[in-house]
Amino acid sequence: SQQGEEDPQALSIQEGENATMNCSYKTSINNLQWYRQNSGRGLVHLILIRSNEREKHSGRLRVTLDTSKKSSSLLITASRAADTASYFCAYQAGTALIFGKGTTLSVSS
Amino acid sequence: GAGVSQSPSNKVTEKGKDVELRCDPISGHTALYWYRQSLGQGLEFLIYFQGNSAPDKSGLPSDRFSAERTGGSVSTLTIQRTQQEDSAVYLCASSLAGRQPQHFGDGTRLSIL
């Protein structure tokens, strides 16, 4: 399967803590994306990191990419209850995006 | 509207019936994608449309699934003779041609009884 893998599958933290999610993939990529999905909603794009980038920031999000290990991580700092959602990494294979199975993040206040 | 619009938001039907799911992409987005999200399989690519080019149907799971895109805008995904394993959330996304990211609708939750 080309599907990426996220780790952990589920993560529960308190507000204010940091959350780290990891993604591994199996093929060469041009870029890797992270999406968020709130319950019952569609996916929202968070950040895209290109294969020649090692780290990228957007607000409270920090993404790293290690193409030699075929892995990426998403760090959410100072988490809030509103960050509760599922998070997916995705990479392009031809015209399609291949998604990992996601990490479900629960942030309690 | 500003985003991708999908209808209906929920659909319950009996096994063996045909269903049509609709997607209205963001204005100006020439690329349109359908995905299926189910508990067992995660998010799976189904089909891709780009302008007037022939669609990429490589993700369609069987010949019961088909999709069309009229006038380069609205798309309809049709599932014939539905089976219980077709129960899933069907997500549509659009983007500018050859560009990322993809912008997703809220999906149609399909339940086959």
Side-chain angles (χ1 to χ4, degrees):
Chain A
S1 168
Q2 289 183 300
Q3 198 167 33
E5 296 285 338
E6 272 105 343
D7 166 51
Q9 291 187 351
L11 182 60
S12 293
I13 59 174
Q14 299 286 321
E15 262 192 330
E17 294 181 338
N18 295 342
T20 299
M21 291 158 254
N22 302 296
C23 166
S24 60
Y25 56 92
K26 299 180 180 179
T27 186
S28 296
I29 60 172
N30 292 323
N31 61 68
L32 186 132
Q33 303 177 53
W34 286 88
Y35 285 81
R36 183 188 75 224
Q37 185 178 35
N38 290 86
S39 181
R41 304 298 301 273
L43 283 80
V44 174
H45 180 259
L46 295 176
I47 195 164
L48 180 151
I49 185 166
R50 302 191 189 285
S51 60
N52 61 353
E53 297 176 308
R54 291 295 170 261
E55 188 171 312
K56 196 165 182 179
H57 297 253
S58 176
R60 293 184 295 114
L61 306 180
R62 172 181 166 245
V63 168
T64 63
L65 180 64
D66 186 336
T67 52
S68 67
K69 295 181 179 178
K70 291 186 167 59
S71 68
S72 175
S73 68
L74 170 68
L75 168 68
I76 304 173
T77 60
S79 63
R80 305 166 182 169
D83 294 328
T84 294
S86 293
Y87 292 82
F88 297 88
C89 66
Y91 63 91
Q92 274 183 277
T95 55
L97 280 179
I98 306 297
F99 288 87
K101 291 195 173 181
T103 293
T104 299
L105 174 65
S106 177
V107 182
S108 53
S109 54
Chain B
V4 176
S5 177
Q6 291 189 246
S7 61
S9 54
N10 288 282
K11 177 73 176 179
V12 180
T13 193
E14 293 178 347
K15 177 182 169 181
K17 301 284 189 183
D18 297 352
V19 295
E20 282 190 354
L21 312 179
R22 176 188 167 104
C23 173
D24 201 342
I26 292 172
S27 178
H29 281 191
T30 57
L32 187 147
Y33 312 76
W34 283 98
Y35 294 86
R36 179 171 69 176
Q37 185 175 27
S38 57
L39 281 176
Q41 300 297 323
L43 274 149
E44 305 170 276
F45 165 76
L46 297 177
I47 190 168
Y48 163 72
F49 294 91
Q50 170 50 49
N52 295 320
S53 302
D56 175 357
K57 304 180 182 180
S58 60
L60 294 178
S62 78
D63 59 8
R64 295 186 296 104
F65 287 72
S66 63
E68 62 177 24
R69 188 178 186 191
T70 54
S73 181
V74 172
S75 177
T76 303
L77 177 69
T78 301
I79 309 172
Q80 296 178 308
R81 306 180 302 281
T82 51
Q83 306 288 316
Q84 287 189 329
E85 62 262 29
D86 299 334
S87 295
V89 177
Y90 290 81
L91 293 163
C92 176
S94 70
S95 71
L96 294 170
R99 301 285 297 275
Q100 298 293 325
Q102 298 177 21
H103 301 264
F104 284 79
D106 284 340
T108 293
R109 183 174 298 276
L110 177 64
S111 299
I112 309 299
L113 302 178

